[in-house]
Amino acid sequence: MMDKALVKRYFFITIIAGAYLLCPFNVKAQSEFKGLENLFTTPLNYVIYHTNTAPVIDGDINDATWKQAAWTTDFIDIEGDSKPTPPYATKIKMLWDDSCLYIAAQMQEPNVWAYKTHHDDVVYHDNDFEFFIDPNNTTHQYFEIEINPINTIFDLFLNSPYRDGGLPLTTWDAKGMRSAIKVEGTVNKPSDTDKGWTAEIAIPLKSLAVGDRSRTPRDGTMWRINFSRVEWDTDIKDGKYVKQTDTAGHPKPEHNWVWSPQGVVNMHFPERWGYLLFSNNSARNTTFSMPYNEDQKRYLWLIYYRERMYFNEHETYALTLQQFGLGDKITVDGKANQLVLEATPHQFMALITDEADHITYTINQEGLVQQLNTRHN
């Protein structure tokens, strides 16, 4: 774990280093977002359909049940289209029923290997497949699950992202989760060339909750989710795959290929994850439309990033919106909104309120996004 000073420094470097690296597709041209375009591209979305027939979890993702679901686009680099296309394709599809979320992943891989064998080993030290789920869309209290080609699982819960002082709870287990792997080739055999591997996973919906915060999805429910594939560059030594190292003898950085680009080399920016829309539509023709409140929240995240960067430089938070070139009146999707910043040197809260419906959303210095329960007339 990093200490608080390192967390703050890493947060700042992560944002600045990625600020100009992601092609700004679908980015609004407002000047106030300048320099942070990588964090304001539009995340991808996936409509997940209800199934009356649960897939058999055996690693075979070609059965009739899975034919109901559409594949995602192939994964790209975590920073986006400005980086090279991954040499090996990765894609996923999803279904749900009243008890489980189902995930199928297909990964091309000429060298299938894995050496982590115990539950809750740090699986991403192998090549792996990972997914991250935020059922409440608050960036807090989310779940991470990793799996390698020999079906070793690393599952954990985070109360908040590492950048906000979050502590991983590795004792949390996705109770009742079932998973299976199918390898097209042989594991840990460098002398041959493999085609790849598939992962098939069933996660009980009730396991994706802590305490009394269980939220079983319904038609129209929206979660945040993203998927990552970790790939290491390796050499073959004494019949084993060994990670390539730099001149200091440290493993070279891994490759991170994802479904929805993060814009930074960090999966723990939950606000950058894709949108998962649950549908009961038997005609399979539901379309995703970006919720208005998600466009409102862009301004909350803008203030959050600016405040964190300001604090890193000045060791105090900015006290006014004007310090970021923002006014208190803004237009979102053609609707008038009021923006408010309440700040002291050591904490802040930003609020955005639609002037017609008076619904308010907030964000604080810990990156917690919430809707206020009160409505003002």
Side-chain angles (χ1 to χ4, degrees):
M1 295 299 296
M2 294 183 287
D3 62 31
K4 289 184 178 180
L6 285 175
V7 168
K8 288 193 295 183
R9 182 172 180 272
Y10 179 71
F11 176 88
F12 178 74
I13 292 173
T14 296
I15 289 180
I16 295 301
Y20 298 99
L21 294 179
L22 187 64
C23 294
F25 55 89
N26 293 330
V27 178
K28 296 180 180 178
Q30 296 99 320
S31 60
E32 58 263 31
F33 292 92
K34 187 175 181 179
L36 293 175
E37 291 91 346
N38 60 306
L39 296 174
F40 288 97
T41 58
T42 303
L44 299 183
N45 64 81
Y46 187 93
V47 178
I48 180 172
Y49 289 106
H50 190 275
T51 179
N52 293 319
T53 305
V56 177
I57 305 302
D58 58 3
D60 180 5
I61 59 176
N62 295 309
D63 58 31
T65 297
W66 279 117
K67 295 186 187 302
Q68 304 175 65
W71 287 110
T72 62
T73 53
D74 286 349
F75 285 21
I76 64 175
D77 187 89
I78 192 171
E79 293 182 70
D81 287 332
S82 66
K83 294 294 184 178
T85 300
Y88 312 129
T90 309
K91 57 186 178 180
I92 62 101
K93 57 173 59 177
M94 290 176 278
L95 291 166
W96 70 291
D97 62 19
D98 295 339
S99 63
C100 288
L101 172 70
Y102 301 101
I103 299 171
Q106 183 179 78
M107 289 151 282
Q108 292 179 352
E109 175 58 71
N111 302 295
V112 179
W113 62 273
Y115 298 121
K116 299 299 181 182
T117 59
H118 298 98
H119 184 83
D120 282 345
D121 280 347
V122 183
V123 168
Y124 64 79
H125 287 166
D126 287 345
N127 289 348
D128 79 347
F129 170 71
E130 308 176 358
F131 52 99
F132 304 77
I133 303 174
D134 177 4
N136 301 314
N137 193 18
T138 64
T139 78
H140 284 219
Q141 298 196 348
Y142 62 87
F143 307 89
E144 176 182 354
I145 299 175
E146 306 175 3
I147 186 168
N148 70 6
I150 54 175
N151 204 19
T152 304
I153 301 293
F154 180 29
D155 46 6
L156 59 155
F157 166 82
L158 283 101
N159 63 324
S160 64
Y162 296 111
R163 68 187 181 197
D164 300 308
L167 298 174
L169 182 64
T170 58
T171 55
W172 173 83
D173 291 326
K175 188 176 181 180
M177 187 179 82
R178 293 168 288 135
S179 61
I181 300 294
K182 183 177 180 180
V183 176
E184 292 186 85
T186 52
V187 181
N188 297 334
K189 187 178 180 181
S191 60
D192 65 6
T193 300
D194 308 309
K195 290 185 178 181
W197 58 292
T198 58
E200 190 174 22
I201 302 158
I203 312 164
L205 295 169
K206 64 182 180 181
S207 74
L208 297 173
V210 173
D212 62 353
R213 287 187 170 268
S214 177
R215 291 191 178 181
T216 302
R218 299 176 296 179
D219 184 59
T221 293
M222 190 184 75
W223 288 4
R224 302 300 294 272
I225 194 167
N226 211 353
F227 301 87
S228 172
R229 175 179 173 180
V230 170
E231 185 83 3
W232 297 89
D233 291 323
T234 59
D235 293 320
I236 299 170
K237 295 181 180 179
D238 299 323
K240 293 187 65 175
Y241 294 100
V242 179
K243 295 174 187 174
Q244 295 180 4
T245 57
D246 58 23
T247 55
H250 303 301
K252 292 182 178 179
E254 75 280 9
H255 302 284
N256 295 274
W257 305 330
V258 303
W259 167 53
S260 187
Q262 293 286 110
V264 291
V265 187
N266 190 334
M267 288 303 298
H268 293 275
F269 276 47
E271 69 277 10
R272 299 291 301 139
W273 297 348
Y275 294 96
L276 184 65
L277 178 64
F278 289 81
S279 175
N280 270 327
N281 186 346
S282 60
R284 298 296 198 263
N285 59 2
T286 300
T287 58
F288 176 86
S289 179
M290 182 66 69
Y292 166 58
N293 61 13
E294 290 299 301
D295 283 336
Q296 290 177 291
K297 292 173 188 176
R298 288 163 54 91
Y299 286 89
L300 299 181
W301 284 110
L302 176 62
I303 295 170
Y304 170 84
Y305 297 139
R306 296 294 189 199
E307 282 283 24
R308 292 297 300 268
M309 294 166 66
Y310 190 93
F311 190 91
N312 188 81
E313 183 176 358
H314 301 285
E315 296 189 354
T316 181
Y317 289 117
L319 302 182
T320 69
L321 293 170
Q322 289 70 29
Q323 290 174 267
F324 303 132
L326 291 169
D328 60 359
K329 301 289 186 180
I330 58 171
T331 301
V332 181
D333 296 346
K335 300 177 181 180
N337 279 255
Q338 183 178 20
L339 201 58
V340 174
L341 175 62
E342 299 176 351
T344 72
H346 304 293
Q347 61 186 6
F348 71 86
M349 176 177 286
L351 306 89
I352 188 167
T353 304
D354 183 291
E355 293 186 354
D357 65 21
H358 304 290
I359 296 175
T360 298
Y361 293 90
T362 70
I363 193 169
N364 65 10
Q365 72 279 351
E366 296 179 347
L368 177 62
V369 177
Q370 295 178 301
Q371 178 183 340
L372 289 186
N373 292 326
T374 57
R375 296 182 62 172
H376 304 287
N377 297 320

